[in-house]
Amino acid sequence: MTPTPPSAPPRPVPLVLIGFGRVGQAFSRLLFEKAETCRRRYHLDPFLHAVLNSRGGFATGRPLRPNDLFAGDAPFVEGNHAWQPGLSLDAVLASAPSPGVVVECAPSDLRTGAPGLAYLRAALDAGWHAAAASKGALVVDFRGLRARAAARGLSLKLGGATAAALPTIDVGTTALAGAEVLAIEGILNGTTNFILSGMAAGRPYAEVLDEARRRGIAEPNPSQDVEGWDTAAKILLLANAVVGLDASLADVSVRGITAVEARDVAGARERGFAVRLVGRCARPAPGAPWALSVAPEALPADHPLASVSGTAKGVTFHTDTMGAITVTGGGSSPRATGAALLKDIVNIYSARR
Amino acid sequence: MTPTPPSAPPRPVPLVLIGFGRVGQAFSRLLFEKAETCRRRYHLDPFLHAVLNSRGGFATGRPLRPNDLFAGDAPFVEGNHAWQPGLSLDAVLASAPSPGVVVECAPSDLRTGAPGLAYLRAALDAGWHAAAASKGALVVDFRGLRARAAARGLSLKLGGATAAALPTIDVGTTALAGAEVLAIEGILNGTTNFILSGMAAGRPYAEVLDEARRRGIAEPNPSQDVEGWDTAAKILLLANAVVGLDASLADVSVRGITAVEARDVAGARERGFAVRLVGRCARPAPGAPWALSVAPEALPADHPLASVSGTAKGVTFHTDTMGAITVTGGGSSPRATGAALLKDIVNIYSARR
């Protein structure tokens, strides 16, 4: 059942994690949990060389262990021998035994890309691969970052930034290699899909949003989700990474769900339609310029995304030679995003077979 | 929109195509069509070094062109300067400018793996990568072929053999790297799904099967489909390639759809269930041995595969860290299978980024 491991030791892969919020913490826990799987199945030994946040970093000069980061369930700084206030990215990259992967999970700004953009540029310039779960830097300068990576033969991975464990980028690139993507449509935000699913029963927007907040599905300030900007950022990344566009957020026509009326959603359901917030990348006519949009749409029951309900997500790629391929599901917890980052790291190093 | 091509010429990739039936012909046409895309987007120049069938082969000592193979729409032998009766695989592998990929599309036998098994072994032993659309050899000796490939650092690709353009293997391996697959369930055969979809309206099995035959959906002899063996072969390949089992066809419990009654399918629909022929790879209990099965099942409406109807296919992977991920759709024509082969070839050579 398990292939015999080659006799050489697993390849060490130093990781520098930037951002130690919910996703960063979940990623580091997952990495400790999956160490043996990585060694056995992929012959890789990814380890945390350092973890940075805006105030400093955790680093000990050897691979970080759980008790260098966590006391019980929570990260701790006070009295932690591994905590170094003001520790910089340059310093930890320089002290690593070899370049590896910078894993970017810092809170990010969709307009400026800060602070991730500077981190990712520095990482690539220092010869490190990059895997991002934050969208800001990628939204602002995907093309520049991709070129910087390509010039050095490095990978820039964004699976964790484009709908967590839903494998949007992997399907759009690896699984569709050689095919022409004619259009992409996606339900890319779990919070808005949860709200629209609840409104299909006739419940008002504000009431379902409150429930989503209480259940921890919606952020305390959900404006980025309900106004459509989270979906816009994700369809933009798919357009640039899969179709090869060079679009920016200003090119996306964005309408969220704040003006959607419960009676319209419920009425659509009675007529057999599902109202969904759809991110779309398509050409209005063959040869016409690509158009990017986010808007609530009433999908017919036989649309492959119509059955994606609750907090689920999904994306459909329309192609020239492979038909339409839809991928749905995938966890959207911090742990699932951490799993998407680990996947990207494994895929940087493991040979295709 | 299009990256500037590097200055070096595209990498030549010699291909030897084995089998020149519907899939082999569709693949070679697609390759001619996609030559420019391969050069521009992947910096690869895949070309047909030779095409073999059971009676001989097409080869000219330079890359084959459409008119070396086809007169109008049909392949031709009589009066074809490129046709060499009795041409052998050994001879064409030896005459290639360098090793490339053997593309295996010959009709195959699920019990013996012949003739593909001998071809694939010879190809790998000669240092060629392999991409298969035929299932026989892979069903009979996936583990042996995979080991033979791994020992030489070669790829063995089976995307085209596991549900054509539906990216089952890509999702199960690349997109789920690092995750544990806990179970796989799939609707893997378009013919049986078409028949069951038709029976949901109360139409008898024989009547819908006749329609499927008339429309070219079912083969003249559909027994491998309706008795479940095509689905069994595919779930077996997924189990071995994705979960890492070493199972054989005899390990799969197989029940097809020939005994399914229209009134049961229609009755299930009235109760909100969809009857589907499901291939399943799962452990009955945590830690229990894996069990492989094919059987008609009534799926509840909220099952991600319940909405897969007509000739469509789909597969759900249940994982430890990424939730459940479902991929549906994908063409199932010879051209779509050809596109899956081309994808596998591109992915053998193009760097991950």
Side-chain angles (χ1 to χ4, degrees):
Chain A
M1 308 271 295
T2 306
T4 312
S7 50
R11 175 176 183 167
V13 177
L15 305 177
V16 170
L17 172 63
I18 299 174
F20 206 49
R22 296 200 317 157
V23 169
Q25 291 174 40
F27 170 74
S28 56
R29 285 201 187 87
L30 187 72
L31 190 70
F32 294 131
E33 237 181 272
K34 290 283 188 178
E36 177 52 29
T37 298
C38 289
R39 283 192 287 268
R40 179 172 43 79
R41 195 182 301 163
Y42 306 104
H43 208 59
L44 295 174
D45 188 13
F47 64 90
L48 284 174
H49 171 64
V51 175
L52 300 181
N53 65 19
S54 56
R55 284 159 296 131
F58 303 85
T60 61
R62 48 162 186 69
L64 291 170
R65 293 171 307 192
N67 61 11
D68 296 325
L69 298 170
F70 298 104
D73 275 354
F76 76 117
V77 165
E78 198 83 20
N80 183 341
H81 63 286
W83 173 252
Q84 304 183 33
L87 186 63
S88 75
L89 180 62
D90 286 351
V92 299
L93 296 183
S95 68
S98 69
V101 185
V102 165
V103 180
E104 209 268 286
C105 304
S108 71
D109 186 317
L110 294 183
R111 285 159 310 161
T112 65
L117 189 51
Y119 285 132
L120 291 176
R121 286 176 178 159
L124 294 167
D125 287 348
W128 288 59
H129 300 289
S134 303
K135 285 182 282 298
L138 300 166
V139 161
V140 169
D141 189 28
F142 175 73
R143 172 157 287 217
L145 290 168
R146 167 72 57 103
R148 210 176 272 247
R152 292 159 184 77
L154 298 168
S155 292
L156 171 67
K157 291 287 200 177
L158 57 158
T162 45
L166 181 74
T168 54
I169 301 279
D170 296 321
V171 170
T173 54
T174 304
L176 302 184
E180 211 64 47
V181 173
L182 307 175
I184 306 175
E185 42 191 355
I187 296 174
L188 299 168
N189 180 273
T191 300
T192 47
N193 208 51
F194 177 86
I195 295 172
L196 291 171
S197 300
M199 289 170 75
R203 296 170 61 202
Y205 171 78
E207 179 189 315
V208 192
L209 173 58
D210 270 352
E211 184 194 340
R213 276 212 191 91
R214 278 196 313 274
R215 292 174 55 176
I217 293 165
E219 312 262 337
N221 175 1
S223 61
Q224 197 155 302
D225 293 330
V226 297
E227 288 169 9
W229 292 103
D230 179 73
T231 300
K234 289 172 184 160
I235 193 71
L236 173 70
L237 291 180
L238 288 173
N240 287 348
V242 173
V243 183
L245 304 189
D246 185 21
S248 64
L249 206 53
D251 299 322
V252 189
S253 152
V254 181
R255 190 151 55 88
I257 64 163
T258 53
V260 172
E261 298 280 354
R263 64 169 180 274
D264 296 335
V265 182
R269 180 158 83 165
E270 277 163 30
R271 295 191 309 278
F273 289 77
V275 175
R276 297 288 180 250
L277 185 65
V278 176
R280 187 177 291 283
C281 166
R283 297 174 122 140
W290 289 86
L292 296 172
S293 64
V294 176
E297 294 185 21
L299 302 178
D302 62 353
H303 189 288
L305 296 176
S307 54
V308 174
S309 62
T311 58
K313 296 190 282 280
V315 63
T316 300
F317 297 93
H318 298 267
T319 75
D320 60 340
T321 52
M322 294 189 179
I325 289 173
T326 299
V327 56
T328 60
S332 42
S333 60
R335 180 174 162 87
T337 304
L341 287 166
L342 181 62
K343 163 191 73 177
D344 278 347
I345 293 164
V346 166
N347 285 336
I348 289 171
Y349 289 94
S350 64
R352 293 178 190 280
R353 289 289 150 76
Chain B
M1 307 273 294
T2 308
T4 312
S7 50
R11 174 176 183 167
V13 176
L15 304 177
V16 169
L17 173 62
I18 299 174
F20 205 49
R22 295 199 320 156
V23 170
Q25 291 174 39
F27 170 75
S28 57
R29 285 199 187 90
L30 187 72
L31 189 69
F32 295 132
E33 238 180 275
K34 290 284 189 178
E36 177 52 27
T37 297
C38 289
R39 283 192 286 268
R40 180 171 43 78
R41 195 182 302 162
Y42 305 105
H43 208 58
L44 295 174
D45 188 14
F47 65 89
L48 285 174
H49 171 64
V51 175
L52 300 181
N53 65 18
S54 57
R55 284 159 296 131
F58 303 85
T60 61
R62 47 162 187 68
L64 291 169
R65 293 171 307 191
N67 61 11
D68 296 324
L69 299 170
F70 299 103
D73 275 352
F76 76 116
V77 165
E78 199 81 21
N80 182 342
H81 62 286
W83 173 252
Q84 303 182 34
L87 186 63
S88 75
L89 180 62
D90 286 350
V92 299
L93 295 183
S95 69
S98 68
V101 186
V102 164
V103 180
E104 209 268 286
C105 304
S108 71
D109 186 317
L110 294 183
R111 285 157 312 161
T112 64
L117 189 51
Y119 285 134
L120 291 176
R121 286 175 179 160
L124 294 167
D125 286 348
W128 288 60
H129 301 289
S134 303
K135 286 182 281 297
L138 300 166
V139 161
V140 170
D141 189 27
F142 174 73
R143 172 157 288 218
L145 290 168
R146 167 71 59 102
R148 210 176 272 248
R152 293 159 183 78
L154 298 168
S155 292
L156 171 67
K157 291 288 200 178
L158 57 159
T162 44
L166 181 74
T168 53
I169 299 280
D170 295 321
V171 170
T173 53
T174 304
L176 302 184
E180 210 64 45
V181 173
L182 307 175
I184 306 175
E185 42 190 355
I187 297 174
L188 299 167
N189 179 273
T191 301
T192 46
N193 208 50
F194 177 85
I195 294 171
L196 291 172
S197 299
M199 289 170 76
R203 298 169 60 201
Y205 170 79
E207 180 188 316
V208 191
L209 173 58
D210 271 352
E211 184 194 340
R213 277 213 191 89
R214 279 196 312 275
R215 292 173 55 176
I217 293 165
E219 312 262 337
N221 175 1
S223 61
Q224 196 155 303
D225 293 330
V226 297
E227 288 169 10
W229 292 103
D230 179 73
T231 300
K234 290 173 184 161
I235 193 70
L236 173 70
L237 291 180
L238 288 173
N240 288 347
V242 173
V243 183
L245 303 189
D246 185 22
S248 65
L249 206 51
D251 299 321
V252 190
S253 152
V254 181
R255 189 152 54 90
I257 65 163
T258 54
V260 173
E261 298 280 354
R263 64 168 178 275
D264 296 333
V265 182
R269 180 158 83 166
E270 278 163 28
R271 294 191 309 279
F273 289 78
V275 175
R276 299 285 179 253
L277 185 66
V278 176
R280 188 177 292 282
C281 165
R283 298 173 122 137
W290 289 86
L292 296 171
S293 64
V294 176
E297 293 186 22
L299 302 179
D302 62 353
H303 190 288
L305 295 176
S307 54
V308 174
S309 62
T311 57
K313 296 190 284 281
V315 64
T316 299
F317 297 93
H318 298 266
T319 75
D320 60 341
T321 52
M322 295 188 178
I325 289 174
T326 299
V327 54
T328 60
S332 43
S333 60
R335 178 174 165 86
T337 305
L341 288 165
L342 180 62
K343 163 192 71 177
D344 278 347
I345 293 164
V346 166
N347 285 335
I348 289 171
Y349 289 94
S350 63
R352 294 179 189 278
R353 291 288 151 77

